[in-house]
Amino acid sequence: MPDPLLRRFGPEAMDDWLRAAYRETRALQESKGGDATFYEVGANAPELLEWYVKGFYGSVFYGGRVDIRIKELLRYRLSMTHGCAYCNKGNIEAARRAGLADEQLDAVMDETNDAFSGRERAVLRLAAEMALTNMEGRLTPALYEDLSAHFDDAEIFQLGMVAAVLTGMAKFLFVYDLVEREAHCPVGPRTGSGE
């Protein structure tokens, strides 16, 4: 379980919209093992949570130029790579709702799998370049060519920005100990009190 150093707030101290998001996450926790730590700590700066939930997710992730199915594939690949147990629990369900098949979800770490179209393979390759675990990642001419066969430059830019925000948020969630991690998470848990 997460054990953040920052102060946590209960729902009684939250704005109405934040309290609703918190309660939704608590319900997920009871049914699928989600965790509301992010909202409890985020209540320290509710305007930042509002930007993340309404601005990034509301306008960019669930809006924008690229269809949601592709962005869900990108997000699930990143969360599986990063080892965010909290993210994986929600992202797999969101990916299914967006139309990804279980065969694709099972193979998400293998962009060469026949379960994926050329368009999907290009996005999975982009995710591999954007991941925390790939500090040498690059949008190479070959990857750009593959992406360009399916997306225009504005869509490629949006995919990169979405991946960047998700990757940066993963690092933030791990460093601040706000989420449960998978065993393979590249950012380990805090190991001592005086470090």
Side-chain angles (χ1 to χ4, degrees):
M1 287 301 292
D3 186 23
L5 296 174
L6 276 69
R7 179 177 45 168
R8 292 181 183 214
F9 287 87
E12 68 284 349
M14 296 177 182
D15 296 343
D16 289 343
W17 77 268
L18 182 53
R19 186 177 310 109
Y22 170 82
R23 288 189 173 137
E24 183 178 321
T25 302
R26 292 287 298 186
L28 178 66
Q29 180 179 18
E30 292 171 10
S31 68
K32 297 191 186 287
D35 184 12
T37 303
F38 176 66
Y39 291 102
E40 293 167 351
V41 173
N44 281 288
E47 72 280 3
L48 295 177
L49 278 182
E50 185 172 17
W51 169 83
Y52 185 62
V53 172
K54 295 179 181 179
F56 171 69
Y57 271 105
S59 297
V60 178
F61 191 86
Y62 289 111
R65 300 167 184 273
V66 179
D67 67 271
I68 190 61
R69 186 176 177 284
I70 288 296
K71 287 185 273 188
E72 290 292 3
L73 178 64
L74 175 70
R75 180 169 70 160
Y76 188 57
R77 168 67 179 256
L78 286 169
S79 70
M80 288 295 289
T81 301
H82 297 148
C84 179
Y86 168 78
C87 302
N88 291 339
K89 289 172 187 172
N91 293 350
I92 195 168
E93 296 304 323
R96 282 185 180 118
R97 283 192 305 274
L100 290 161
D102 284 339
E103 177 186 12
Q104 292 172 310
L105 298 172
D106 292 342
V108 77
M109 299 306 292
D110 177 13
E111 62 268 11
T112 66
N113 192 293
D114 289 338
F116 300 110
S117 67
R119 182 175 196 243
E120 293 161 341
R121 284 189 193 102
V123 168
L124 292 172
R125 286 184 52 219
L126 177 62
E129 295 299 317
M130 295 292 296
L132 283 173
T133 53
N134 184 0
M135 295 309 290
E136 303 295 321
R138 290 186 46 91
L139 178 61
T140 63
L143 177 54
Y144 174 70
E145 184 178 327
D146 286 350
L147 287 164
S148 293
H150 309 285
F151 303 98
D152 64 30
D153 281 3
E155 292 169 325
I156 294 168
F157 186 83
Q158 183 185 24
L159 286 167
M161 187 164 286
V162 165
V165 170
L166 294 172
T167 299
M169 282 301 294
K171 176 78 179 218
F172 165 68
L173 293 170
F174 297 145
V175 168
Y176 277 64
D177 202 13
L178 300 177
V179 293
E180 181 184 348
R181 299 168 177 91
E182 305 278 358
H184 70 275
C185 176
V187 181
R190 231 179 15 251
T191 58
S193 60
E195 296 164 357

